[in-house]
C-alpha cells in the first residue's frame, strides 16, 4: 500500500515560487502531480519515471515547473517558478507502482494511489 502526503502549498504573488513535496513515493515506479481548479477536472502537470528519471510536463508549465525526487526516491518534489494566477488550484500527488506506457502519464486512471492535495493560491 502506498500512502502519499503532500506539503508545501500556500499563497504567493504572481512571479513567485513554491516547492511542493510528496512523501511516501519510495516504492512507486511513476509519480505525478495533478492540479484541480474549481469546477474543473484534474489536469496532469508533471510526471517522473523513478527508474530512469524521465520526466513529462504539461505544455502550460514547461520551462517553469520541475519535478524531481530525493536520492532515495521517498519524496517527490514539484518546484514551481514564475507562478501565474492560472496556476492556482489544489495540487495532488499520484503514484503508480506498475510499469506502463508513459503516453498515458497525464490520465487520472493510469495511477493507483492518490494523496489528499495541497492548496496553491497565486494572486496578482
Amino acid at each position: 500500500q502506498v500512502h502519499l502526503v503532500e506539503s508545501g502549498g500556500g499563497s504567493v504573488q504572481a512571479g513567485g515560487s513554491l516547492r511542493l513535496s510528496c512523501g511516501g513515493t519510495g516504492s512507486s515506479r511513476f509519480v505525478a502531480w495533478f492540479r484541480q481548479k474549481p469546477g474543473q477536472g484534474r489536469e496532469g502537470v508533471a510526471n517522473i519515471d523513478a527508474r530512469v528519471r524521465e520526466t513529462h510536463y504539461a505544455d502550460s508549465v514547461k520551462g517553469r515547473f520541475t519535478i524531481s525526487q530525493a536520492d532515495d526516491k521517498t519524496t517527490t518534489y514539484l518546484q514551481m517558478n514564475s507562478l501565474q494566477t492560472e496556476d492556482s488550484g489544489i495540487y495532488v500527488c499520484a503514484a503508480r507502482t506498475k510499469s506502463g506506457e508513459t503516453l498515458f502519464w497525464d490520465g487520472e486512471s493510469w495511477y493507483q494511489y492518490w494523496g489528499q492535495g495541497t492548496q496553491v493560491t497565486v494572486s496578482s
Side-chain angles (χ1 to χ4, degrees), residues 22-72:
C22 177
T25 60
S27 62
S28 299
R29 170 69 189 272
F30 300 96
V31 182
W33 285 95
F34 283 73
R35 68 184 174 196
Q36 186 164 19
K37 301 176 184 180
Q40 299 183 24
R42 287 175 176 166
E43 171 194 17
V45 173
N47 155 285
I48 186 167
D49 180 334
R51 183 176 299 179
V52 298
R53 302 295 177 124
E54 181 180 85
T55 58
H56 300 88
Y57 296 94
D59 287 344
S60 59
V61 306
K62 281 180 181 175
R64 300 188 299 120
F65 290 12
T66 302
I67 188 170
S68 63
Q69 291 190 309
D71 288 345
D72 62 3

Side-chain angles (χ1 to χ4, degrees), residues 18-19 21 26 48 53 55 80 85 116 118 120:
L18 282 174
R19 188 176 81 157
S21 298
I48 186 167
R53 302 295 177 124
T55 58
M80 305 186 295
T85 55
Q116 294 297 308
T118 185
V120 171

Side-chain angles (χ1 to χ4, degrees), residues 2-3 6 10 22 57 71 76-78 82 104 108 110 116:
V2 174
H3 180 60
E6 302 97 334
C22 177
Y57 296 94
D71 288 345
T76 301
Y77 304 101
L78 184 68
S82 302
F104 307 111
E108 289 183 65
W110 203 63
Q116 294 297 308

